[in-house]
């Protein structure tokens, strides 16, 4: 079983909808990352968090350490948000490693 | 700043050929790493380095070699390519500790 699981695998939304992507992990972690991968293939870091909540523009990331769960929310979604969103956890047992979810492919239709 | 630069972007190899994927960063980051991305799976760590002269294996190191002679460069070598190494490869760098990672644009490698 993968140490980091994401849901859903695929998500289609209409422009303007509120989006939630979920990430669960099974190991103790020092940090959790949310990444965005556009169709061109490049990967960009969106958030790094170890507790609570972070907000950047229309994006909000939350983490519940006790429940080993994180969510990425997108408010007022736009077609340019279409991308693959990847959750990655840095495990306590090896701070030099990072374990990745398989990604959530988001398509926002106009 | 250029950030993390990977070359080439695309490569086709024949089974048994060797090649080096290049990765360079200009942010003076101590930590550099190589990942492979396969369909339906998350990125997996191949090798990493915490500084010049120091490298270590990740989750899937077999078939790959690395070296870190300078802070800036972290090349990944395939000594004898196999079809199972067909994948998209990403290089990343960061400051040591729980910090944001910066990724290269990826190299799409096909081994036939």
């Amino acid at each position: 079983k993968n140490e980091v699981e994401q849901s859903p695998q695929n998500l289609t939304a209409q422009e303007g909808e509120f989006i939630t992507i979920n990430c669960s992990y099974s190991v103790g972690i020092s940090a959790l990352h949310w990444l965005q991968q556009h169709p061109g293939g490049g990967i960009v870091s969106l958030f790094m968090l170890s507790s609570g909540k972070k907000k950047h523009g229309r994006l909000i990331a939350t983490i519940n350490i006790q429940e080993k769960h994180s969510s990425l929310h997108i408010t007022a979604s736009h077609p340019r948000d279409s991308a693959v969103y990847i959750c990655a956890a840095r495990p306590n047992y090896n701070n030099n490693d990072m374990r990745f979810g398989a990604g959530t492919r988001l398509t926002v239709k106009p | 700043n250029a950030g993390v630069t990977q070359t080439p972007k695309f490569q086709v190899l024949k089974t048994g050929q060797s090649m080096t994927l290049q990765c360079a960063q200009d942010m003076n980051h101590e930590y550099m790493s190589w990942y492979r991305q396969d369909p339906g799976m998350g990125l997996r760590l191949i090798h990493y380095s915490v500084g010049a002269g120091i490298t270590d294996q990740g989750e899937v190191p077999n078939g790959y070699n690395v070296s870190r002679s300078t802070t800036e460069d972290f090349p990944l070598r395939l000594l004898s390519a196999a079809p199972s190494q067909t994948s998209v490869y990403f290089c990343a760098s960061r400051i040591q500790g729980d910090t944001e990672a910066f990724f290269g644009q990826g190299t799409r490698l096909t081994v036939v």
Side-chain angles (χ1 to χ4, degrees):
Chain A
K1 188 178 187 295
N2 199 5
E3 290 172 304
V4 179
E5 299 280 353
Q6 283 185 241
S7 63
Q9 284 186 315
N10 295 285
L11 182 56
T12 300
Q14 289 297 132
E15 183 174 355
E17 285 185 357
F18 181 83
I19 304 288
T20 295
I21 298 170
N22 295 300
C23 174
S24 297
Y25 51 93
S26 58
V27 295
I29 67 168
S30 57
L32 187 124
H33 296 247
W34 282 101
L35 311 168
Q36 182 190 56
Q37 185 172 25
H38 271 287
I43 297 173
V44 175
S45 178
L46 297 175
F47 294 103
M48 186 194 72
L49 62 166
S50 54
S51 65
K53 175 179 172 178
K54 286 191 176 180
K55 183 175 190 289
H56 184 196
R58 294 179 296 104
L59 301 178
I60 303 165
T62 64
I63 188 167
N64 185 319
I65 296 295
Q66 287 72 30
E67 295 187 3
K68 291 188 167 62
H69 182 269
S70 177
S71 293
L72 177 69
H73 305 286
I74 305 175
T75 61
S77 59
H78 190 276
R80 65 175 174 266
D81 296 325
S82 297
V84 175
Y85 292 84
I86 300 169
C87 166
R90 184 154 293 135
N92 282 333
Y93 63 75
N94 183 357
N95 195 249
N96 289 310
D97 198 355
M98 200 141 72
R99 296 294 166 137
F100 293 79
T104 295
R105 184 175 299 277
L106 172 65
T107 303
V108 182
K109 295 186 175 181
Chain B
N1 284 343
V4 180
T5 303
Q6 280 184 242
T7 56
K9 286 188 171 50
F10 301 93
Q11 182 71 49
V12 178
L13 287 180
K14 293 183 180 178
T15 297
Q17 285 186 317
S18 63
M19 81 159 295
T20 299
L21 278 62
Q22 301 291 345
C23 177
Q25 53 92 10
D26 60 0
M27 297 173 281
N28 202 33
H29 287 169
E30 303 100 328
Y31 182 92
M32 296 185 74
S33 53
W34 277 102
Y35 299 91
R36 58 178 289 171
Q37 184 179 41
D38 299 297
M41 302 180 70
L43 281 80
R44 291 180 292 168
L45 181 65
I46 304 171
H47 284 284
Y48 66 92
S49 168
V50 298
I54 306 169
T55 64
D56 206 346
Q57 297 181 350
E59 185 184 358
V60 289
N62 292 341
Y64 307 96
N65 281 347
V66 292
S67 60
R68 184 96 179 268
S69 56
T70 65
T71 299
E72 293 78 19
D73 299 297
F74 190 44
L76 179 72
R77 296 185 187 85
L78 285 71
L79 297 179
S80 179
S84 61
Q85 293 178 305
T86 293
S87 188
V88 181
Y89 292 85
F90 286 94
C91 178
S93 75
R94 62 179 168 86
I95 300 170
Q96 272 287 67
D98 287 328
T99 58
E100 177 187 5
F102 293 82
F103 289 82
Q105 288 298 303
T107 297
R108 185 174 294 274
L109 175 67
T110 302
V111 183
V112 298

